[in-house]
Amino acid sequence: MRLMSLPRELGVLELRAWLTDEARAPPVLLDVRNHDEWAWARLAGATFIPLGELEERHDELLALKTRPIVVYCHHGVRSLYGAEFLAQLGYQTTSLRGGLDAWSLHVDPTLPRY
């Protein structure tokens, strides 16, 4: 099975369209923020592995290796590092541009901002 190529970054409106497109399998959402940030706010159904733990815990994602993964953080910087690290291991990844902050501004204003 050939995987579809993902852009290096994906905008929040593009992700929202993907998540609401019933004809398209949803991506894995991977939150790489810190524990306190995860407790504050998160996207529903996301998997949580802080960036600082990703190198030692990436094997937890092995069962998801055939699925696209959208990595996100607060503003989109840490997620770039996480997506690149996983891509080097053969995962199909993209980073959420603007992160959870952009999601709360442009998609879901009920999501707490910090």
Side-chain angles (χ1 to χ4, degrees):
M1 176 171 111
R2 183 161 172 83
L3 297 175
M4 185 181 85
S5 177
L6 290 174
R8 183 167 188 237
E9 291 184 284
L10 188 71
V12 294
L13 298 179
E14 294 167 297
L15 178 58
R16 179 183 65 183
W18 187 353
L19 293 173
T20 58
D21 184 350
E22 293 180 12
R24 192 172 178 194
V28 172
L29 301 174
L30 177 62
D31 188 325
V32 295
R33 296 172 304 141
N34 297 323
H35 291 270
D36 59 332
E37 294 172 292
W38 170 260
W40 184 257
R42 67 187 80 137
L43 295 179
T47 298
F48 174 59
I49 302 177
L51 183 62
E53 300 173 18
L54 191 57
E55 187 172 344
E56 63 191 40
R57 293 181 54 197
H58 70 84
D59 59 335
E60 294 174 28
L61 301 170
L62 282 174
L64 306 172
K65 202 162 189 175
T66 61
R67 294 181 54 198
I69 299 174
V70 176
V71 183
Y72 75 88
C73 63
H74 187 201
H75 286 116
V77 177
R78 289 173 285 180
S79 59
L80 280 170
Y81 289 106
E84 179 61 27
F85 171 74
L86 291 173
Q88 290 176 7
L89 297 175
Y91 291 87
Q92 183 187 12
T93 62
T94 188
S95 173
L96 184 61
R97 186 182 317 109
L100 203 58
D101 193 55
W103 184 269
S104 65
L105 285 171
H106 303 289
V107 177
D108 182 3
T110 66
L111 193 68
R113 291 187 70 214
Y114 60 95

